Amino acid sequence: EIVLTQSPGTLSLSPGERATLSCRASQSVSSSYLAWYQQKPGQAPRLLIYGASSRATGIPDRFSGSGSGTDFTLTISRLEPEDFAVYYCQQYGREYTFGQGTKLEIK
Amino acid sequence: QVQLVQSGAEVKKPGASVKVSCKASGYTFTSYGISWVRQAPGQGLEWMGWISAYNGNTNYAQKLQGRVTMTTDTSTSTAYMELRSLRSDDTAVYYCARVRVGFDPWGQGTLVTVSS
C-alpha cells in the first residue's frame, strides 16, 4: 500500500498570503496519478487537482499542483476567505489511498 | 448536471448490516466506476472499495474484505454499498464518488451510526 504523508498538519495564514501544502508518498506514484481535494465542514470533498497538476472543472487558477515521483505540492497563490478548509491528497495509481489531511486555518 | 444522491442517515446496532444507496444522474452510468469512501467523526478519508458500473467488477480495501459488498443496478443508475457485522468504529459518514481522474463528483454523504 502506498502511504501518503501530508505536511504540515495545520497551516495558519492570512487572506492574501500564499499557501504551500506538501504530500509525500512512500513509493513512486505512477504516471503522476495524484489528486488534491478540498473539504469544508459538513460538506463532501471537492476535486481540485488531478494528474498532479491539472485543475478540475471550475477550479480557480489560484490553485496549482506540481510534483512527480514521491513529492507533490498544492499551492494557493493568494488566499481567499473561502479557501480555509482541510485539504487531502490522494494517489490513484495503485488502488487508492488518501493522505491524513492539512487543515488551513485563518491566522 | 452530474449528480450523486445518497440515501438517508441510518442507526444500527452492533452486529447488524447497513445498505447505502447512491443514485447517479446527468451522465451515462455504465461509463464510469463508483468508489466508496468513509470518514469517521473528526477523522480523515478512508477508501473502502470500487465497482465498475460497466461489468460489476469490484476491488475492496483489504481491511474490509469479507464484510463489504458493492453492487450496481444499471436499470436505475444506482450503486449500493452493504457493510455487515457492524461495530462501533464503523460509525462514519459514507460517501460515494464517480471515478474518473480522481473522484468527481461526490455524493452528499450518509451518516451511519452504530450504537447499542
Side-chain angles (χ1 to χ4, degrees), chain A residues 33 35 37 39 42-47 49-51 56-57 88 90 92 95-100, chain B residues 35 37 39 43-47 50 59-62 95 99-104 106-109:
Chain A
Y33 288 156
Y37 299 86
Q39 187 179 33
Q43 296 184 17
R46 176 175 71 146
L47 177 67
I49 300 287
Y50 63 91
T57 303
Y88 294 95
Q90 177 206 36
Y92 51 97
E95 296 196 339
Y96 304 92
T97 50
F98 291 93
Q100 83 279 15
Chain B
S35 263
V37 176
Q39 186 170 37
Q43 302 302 307
L45 303 171
E46 178 186 12
W47 177 73
W50 165 90
N59 182 15
Y60 301 137
Q62 190 169 9
Y95 295 102
V99 178
R100 295 181 67 226
V101 278
F103 294 176
D104 180 47
W106 296 56
Q108 83 277 18

Side-chain angles (χ1 to χ4, degrees), chain A residues 46-65:
Chain A
R46 176 175 71 146
L47 177 67
L48 299 175
I49 300 287
Y50 63 91
S53 60
S54 297
R55 272 187 302 277
T57 303
I59 301 304
D61 60 8
R62 64 180 181 273
F63 290 91
S64 63

Side-chain angles (χ1 to χ4, degrees), chain B residues 5-109:
Chain B
V5 178
Q6 299 182 220
S7 50
E10 303 262 12
V11 179
K12 297 292 183 180
K13 294 192 182 304
S17 299
V18 68
K19 192 170 186 177
V20 179
S21 68
C22 169
K23 183 171 176 59
S25 61
Y27 72 97
T28 302
F29 182 66
T30 52
S31 294
Y32 300 90
I34 295 284
S35 263
W36 291 86
V37 176
R38 68 180 180 178
Q39 186 170 37
Q43 302 302 307
L45 303 171
E46 178 186 12
W47 177 73
M48 300 178 66
W50 165 90
I51 182 167
S52 165
Y54 174 70
N55 59 15
N57 286 349
T58 55
N59 182 15
Y60 301 137
Q62 190 169 9
K63 173 183 178 181
L64 297 172
Q65 288 272 2
R67 286 208 300 140
V68 66
T69 301
M70 297 175 187
T71 57
T72 60
D73 181 344
T74 57
S75 69
T76 60
S77 298
T78 303
Y80 298 91
M81 185 284 299
E82 181 180 32
L83 188 60
R84 299 176 293 279
S85 302
L86 288 168
R87 310 186 289 247
S88 57
D89 63 356
D90 291 318
T91 293
V93 176
Y94 289 74
Y95 295 102
C96 61
R98 185 180 70 165
V99 178
R100 295 181 67 226
V101 278
F103 294 176
D104 180 47
W106 296 56
Q108 83 277 18

Side-chain angles (χ1 to χ4, degrees), chain A:
Chain A
E1 176 185 320
I2 298 178
V3 176
L4 300 179
T5 302
Q6 293 186 239
S7 60
T10 301
L11 184 58
S12 300
L13 294 170
S14 301
E17 291 192 291
R18 179 185 186 92
T20 303
L21 287 66
S22 174
C23 176
R24 178 162 290 178
S26 60
Q27 306 170 43
S28 182
V29 177
S30 58
S31 303
S32 295
Y33 288 156
L34 193 287
W36 290 93
Y37 299 86
Q38 176 193 68
Q39 187 179 33
K40 297 179 180 179
Q43 296 184 17
R46 176 175 71 146
L47 177 67
L48 299 175
I49 300 287
Y50 63 91
S53 60
S54 297
R55 272 187 302 277
T57 303
I59 301 304
D61 60 8
R62 64 180 181 273
F63 290 91
S64 63
S66 63
S68 64
T70 60
D71 288 291
F72 299 88
T73 301
L74 175 70
T75 301
I76 310 172
S77 60
R78 189 176 171 83
L79 286 165
E80 297 287 343
E82 62 268 26
D83 298 337
F84 291 91
V86 179
Y87 292 83
Y88 294 95
C89 59
Q90 177 206 36
Q91 68 81 23
Y92 51 97
R94 189 182 307 174
E95 296 196 339
Y96 304 92
T97 50
F98 291 93
Q100 83 279 15
T102 290
K103 182 180 181 180
L104 178 56
E105 65 177 24
I106 299 178
K107 187 173 182 180

